[in-house]
Amino acid sequence: PRQKEPAPALAYFHIPLPEFSSFTASDFTGVKQESISSPSINSGFFTTMVEAGDVKAAFIGHDHINDFCGKLTGIQLCYAGGLGYHAYGKAGWSRRARVVSVQLEKTVSGEWQGVKSIKTWKRLDDQHLTTIDSEVLWNRGSNGKTLTHA
């Protein structure tokens, strides 16, 4: 069956938008260990994503020792965390990768439907490949954020 509304969009890019500086330690999940390296001029790209109405999350890199997610104007803004060993990191801080999982709805007859939820977590490159900061970024029919710590 045809989907009635636009599918929830995810945006991926490298350099953080100035809006990533909007968060304080009390309104995000994860850590901020360095300054946000965004352009000094605001291009209006975040406003464009908000006006589009379908973007539920944006994922960025660039600042290797930031790995937080925070919600601003209905969009989750998330750092990927530093994964590779070819660039700078922080002694004693495990390299990490953000994983994003999109679940689809399925009918009782087995037909795939629209997007049901978007979840994320970070996997650490440590002895146990630890999972941390699991959270639901978006659920169909809900703008709420559910946070669970692993």
Side-chain angles (χ1 to χ4, degrees), residues 57-75:
F59 304 92
I60 56 99
H62 195 66
D63 302 325
H64 299 196
I65 57 175
N66 288 340
D67 74 352
F68 66 84
C69 263
K71 191 171 187 177
L72 182 65
T73 320
I75 298 176

Side-chain angles (χ1 to χ4, degrees), residues 69-137:
C69 263
K71 191 171 187 177
L72 182 65
T73 320
I75 298 176
Q76 297 282 350
L77 300 177
C78 300
Y79 269 96
L83 175 64
Y85 287 90
H86 61 284
Y88 75 93
K90 183 178 178 182
W93 194 67
S94 296
R95 298 294 175 144
R96 62 208 53 220
R98 181 171 295 283
V99 179
V100 178
S101 176
V102 178
Q103 287 77 39
L104 299 176
E105 292 181 312
K106 199 171 185 181
T107 66
V108 290
S109 63
E111 294 178 2
W112 291 107
Q113 299 288 302
V115 176
K116 179 179 180 180
S117 65
I118 302 168
K119 300 175 183 179
T120 188
W121 61 90
K122 291 169 284 199
R123 177 77 65 175
L124 303 184
D125 185 16
D126 62 9
Q127 183 178 0
H128 305 289
L129 297 176
T130 307
T131 297
I132 62 169
D133 295 340
S134 297
E135 56 187 312
V136 176
L137 298 180

